[in-house]
Amino acid sequence: MGKPSGKRLAKPASFDAAPPASTGGAPGEAWFSGPLTYQLAVEAAGFGTWHRRLDSDVVTICPMMARLLDLPARTTSLSADEWRQVILAEDLPAVESAVAASVDARCPFNLEYRVKTPRGRIVWLLVRGTFLRDEQGNPLQVTGVSVDITEKKKAEEAARAGEERYRLLTDLNPDGIVVYQDRRYVYANPAAAHIHQVAGAAELIGRSGFDFFEPEAVKTIDESVTLLLEQGLPAPLATLRARRPDGSVAHLQATFGKVTWEGRPAVQITVRDITEHKRLREKLRITNERLKLAVEGTGEGIWDWDLVTDTCSLSANLRRILGWEEKGPGPERISWRTLIHPDDFPNVDAAFRSCIKGDSPAYECEFRIKAADGQWKWVAGRGVVVEWNQRGNPTAMTGTISDITVRKKFEEQIWRYANIDALTGLPNRRMFRDRLDAEIRKAQRTSKELALLFLDMDGFKQVNDVFGHESGDLLLLEAAHRIHGCVRESDIVARLGGDEFTVVLTNLDDLDHVEYLCRKVLDRLAEPFSIGAHYAYVTASIGVALYPMDGPGSEDLVRKADQAMYAAKAAGKNQFSYFTESMDEKAHAKLSLSTELRQAIAKGQLFLHFQPVVHLRDGHILKAEALLRWRHPRLGMIEPSRFIPVAEESGMMGPIGDWVFREAATCAKRWSECTGTIFQIAVNKSPVQFMPRCLESDWLGYLQELELPGESLVIEITEGMLLNPAPSVTSKLLQYRDAGIQVAIDDFGTGYSSMSYLHQFHIDYLKIDRSFVHDIATNPVHRTIAETIIVMAHKLGLSVIAEGIETRTQKEILQQAGCDYGQGFYFSHPVPEEQLTRMLASRPTTPGHRDPPG
């Protein structure tokens, strides 16, 4: 305790409060020698007791007091100076002043101050003391108790800090904060005064909600108070209409919370002025309505998405797009995940998230959505974020959806036309090359091999010719199905056009799989094809090229697989062949031959030989067949069997055929003038020359220019051309007939001619193929075939020419069978124009008396 002011007093005669009786001991000992029960009670309460005799300046303390001061338990007394040093220096003046005042007032004192213990702790003590006085009233001794109130002080400090923070928060908060108790304001912050447009917060205290809000808003406040205070339920967010002194109306957004105010329950109301916000939203709404009207005029639908509540508002046009009822609830929760096509949802979700996170300025995506009838519609969705909260998080989006189903179908059709074969549904040539290139790149990365199969149908043309193009299409469709059924899912089957197919075998670990698959495809295609009421039989030839063995790129592989396919055809068809280097050499030789052939006419390397056709009855030479020859300055004589196919494949058959026709017509005129009768020249015409793409000069016009009758020319064609002839074939044959040009069927008996076509096109000659004439003397079957052809032809009014007569016996058998004309080495080899001119001048009547030359 602090020392009381005034001089030291004499021994007391009486006390303000007497301590318990004592029988002896040290000074002050009697104070602590009371009953044990009393001591235990004081210590149990945590009270530290002390007393100080003013005459000795010694402060006697109890063990509990020692513990409060962090002193050893055996410490029982302190000097007055030691006692003062325990008290915190900052608090000592106030303590001594308070004690002195207590002495003067002759009343107990009650103090709170801090002490600093030897351990360095700062301890708050609540100290209560009183003075013992003598009979004259002079103080003799001061006695008291101390209690540790450090925790209480900390709690009070924390409470004061909390209150200060609350005050700062409320005073600085831009939102208005009021405490509402008994339907009156008992607290308001400055922002609340500003919102209600009053001079200060004090003007709100004690006023009712009726002073500021419209009746409906007051009702909402009362309902919220009831929910909080009486029912213990949370009150929802509310929008209140407030009246201001200037007569305007403010829109306030209010939240409610339960608090305690001065020991009684109350409600804290936080209000935010959203008047300007609502004005802007209304302005935005009007703008949006105008925009919606304009947008929906284009056929697009509009949606608004509240990201906070996850609800969507759909325009009437959007509902029509989706096939829903035009009128429905405004905002509604829609499970877009169930409406968007599963394959498209990841892209849509990613586009939305990118827009919401701010990675992209707008959401834009095309996807399929399920309409009310269960059908998938293609739509284009676009949208932007239009609203954010105070933390910058998006809270609302708006956008459009337009129906692009028609456009997508059109794009798909264009893509299919560009990439898919219309007949079989397989990839076409363009898509095949793209996918082959992709597989080659993949094989490069994985160091895998792949195989390319080039497949051509054997006998397909005959099916087309016999049964028609529709039946041919059915066969191709079934063939595509069979081929596709033989391969793995990772392999690629394509149709290049006509009867050509390709197969790409990918990820090959074992090349034995290539051979296995080729045999499997050949076996499947060799099975009969059911075409309506008929069965057709075809086979296939397959060429195989391997990557990377046969080439580094798709162009090399296709070219080499094609060469291998032709090798398979040449080897007898219905088989497969791997590409070899020798094939490439042959292809290069063929290409070189094609290049040389293009210059052959201009360089005068082509010429004609003529093989006479004699009348078997009298041996007269009445006709001749023009045969094309090519003499190359470096390669020498080149067989027609080598260069004619090259001319047909390279598109040179048209100009070469024109040259042959003109040369033959000129010779026919010259020999007709020489003999004085019409001398016919037969000219072979390739099926290629009848195709629309083969440009042909005006043959009939040239005959008129030469003043040469049509009967001077005979056009020789193969019998296969008469089966389901193309319109170009029919038209040309009818033109020849009308012009008087005669038509002969070459190599008759080896094809599938129908007798009705012989009559329909007014065929003039049938030429018995040399295969029947060669062994006519020894082969009864061939002799019968030749005799049957002769009889049939005569009954149809046609003349017959036998080819390949090489012996007298052959000539006599045919003559006896009634054959009209003969042609072959027995009569003459093909000879140059000059030699035939000399033969015609001599006009032998019976050339058969000599052996055939050569």
Side-chain angles (χ1 to χ4, degrees), residues 30-157:
W31 182 254
F32 296 102
S33 60
L36 179 60
T37 302
Y38 175 78
Q39 291 180 356
L40 291 175
V42 170
E43 289 190 9
F47 293 163
T49 59
W50 52 268
H51 71 272
R52 174 185 171 192
R53 294 185 63 87
L54 298 181
D55 57 355
S56 64
D57 260 354
V58 173
V59 180
T60 304
I61 61 175
C62 71
M64 176 58 69
M65 191 66 205
R67 283 199 296 273
L68 291 179
L69 299 177
D70 287 343
L71 297 174
R74 65 178 179 273
T75 303
T76 60
S77 64
L78 297 171
S79 69
D81 288 338
E82 288 176 332
W83 183 263
R84 289 191 189 91
Q85 289 174 4
V86 169
I87 300 172
L88 203 65
E90 299 169 13
D91 295 353
L92 182 58
V95 171
E96 291 183 334
S97 175
V99 171
S102 177
V103 171
D104 293 341
R106 302 178 66 85
C107 64
F109 56 85
N110 194 359
L111 301 175
E112 292 180 0
Y113 58 86
R114 292 168 292 178
V115 296
K116 186 173 183 180
T117 71
R119 289 168 51 188
R121 287 196 312 132
I122 303 298
V123 179
W124 273 96
L125 296 179
L126 170 61
V127 180
R128 291 178 179 173
T130 187
F131 289 91
L132 301 178
R133 300 175 183 273
D134 60 12
E135 294 176 354
Q136 287 77 31
N138 297 317
L140 295 177
Q141 181 174 294
V142 60
T143 301
V145 296
S146 297
V147 180
D148 186 349
I149 60 170
T150 305
E151 294 302 321
K152 173 176 172 290
K153 281 293 185 177
K154 288 181 179 179
E156 290 175 353
E157 182 62 26

Side-chain angles (χ1 to χ4, degrees), residues 725-789:
S728 58
V729 175
T730 303
S731 174
K732 189 64 68 176
L733 291 178
L734 292 177
Q735 287 180 22
Y736 293 158
R737 182 199 67 185
D738 294 341
I741 297 176
Q742 295 184 320
V743 178
I745 303 299
D746 198 11
D747 302 331
F748 188 80
T750 59
Y752 307 94
S753 291
S754 169
M755 300 303 102
S756 63
Y757 290 113
L758 296 177
H759 177 71
Q760 177 182 345
F761 292 105
H762 299 281
I763 304 302
D764 299 285
Y765 301 98
L766 296 183
K767 297 187 75 172
I768 300 176
D769 186 70
R770 65 183 66 249
S771 63
F772 301 119
V773 174
H774 175 69
D775 58 354
I776 195 171
T778 59
N779 189 327
V781 174
H782 284 178
R783 182 169 182 169
T784 301
I785 290 175
E787 291 172 346
T788 302
I789 292 173

Side-chain angles (χ1 to χ4, degrees), residues 423 460-477 495 498 531 723-728:
L423 175 63
F460 174 73
K461 184 179 183 301
Q462 284 82 356
V463 173
N464 247 354
D465 291 343
V466 172
F467 299 112
H469 292 290
E470 289 187 5
S471 297
D473 287 347
L474 291 175
L475 189 148
L476 290 174
L477 189 60
R495 180 189 177 209
I531 303 175
L723 298 178
N724 295 299
S728 58

Side-chain angles (χ1 to χ4, degrees), residues 590-665:
K590 190 175 181 180
L591 179 62
S592 176
L593 192 67
S594 174
T595 303
E596 296 287 346
L597 183 58
R598 290 184 184 278
Q599 305 172 14
I601 296 178
K603 292 183 177 181
Q605 297 172 3
L606 297 182
F607 60 95
L608 294 181
H609 274 185
F610 299 90
Q611 187 171 33
V613 177
V614 303
H615 200 297
L616 291 181
R617 188 179 64 242
D618 55 20
H620 279 80
I621 300 175
L622 300 178
K623 311 171 190 296
E625 181 179 359
L627 301 171
L628 182 62
R629 297 291 184 263
W630 181 14
R631 182 185 292 108
H632 191 275
R634 178 171 52 84
L635 302 175
M637 291 297 294
I638 301 175
E639 291 295 325
S641 59
R642 284 186 60 197
F643 71 81
I644 292 297
V646 172
E648 291 178 332
E649 292 175 12
S650 61
M652 290 184 286
M653 203 63 239
I656 291 176
D658 287 345
W659 181 85
V660 170
F661 175 80
R662 289 173 179 270
E663 289 293 310

Side-chain angles (χ1 to χ4, degrees), residues 31 82-83 97 122 146 195 224 238 244 296 338 341 364-365 387 391 403 439 508 538 565 578 605 692 695 792:
W31 182 254
E82 288 176 332
W83 183 263
S97 175
I122 303 298
S146 297
I195 289 173
S224 299
R244 285 175 167 163
E296 294 208 346
T338 62
H341 196 285
E364 190 167 357
C365 194
E387 200 172 276
R391 293 185 296 276
D403 188 347
E439 288 298 331
L508 290 177
V538 298
M565 182 272 293
Y578 286 96
Q605 297 172 3
L695 299 178
M792 176 199 67

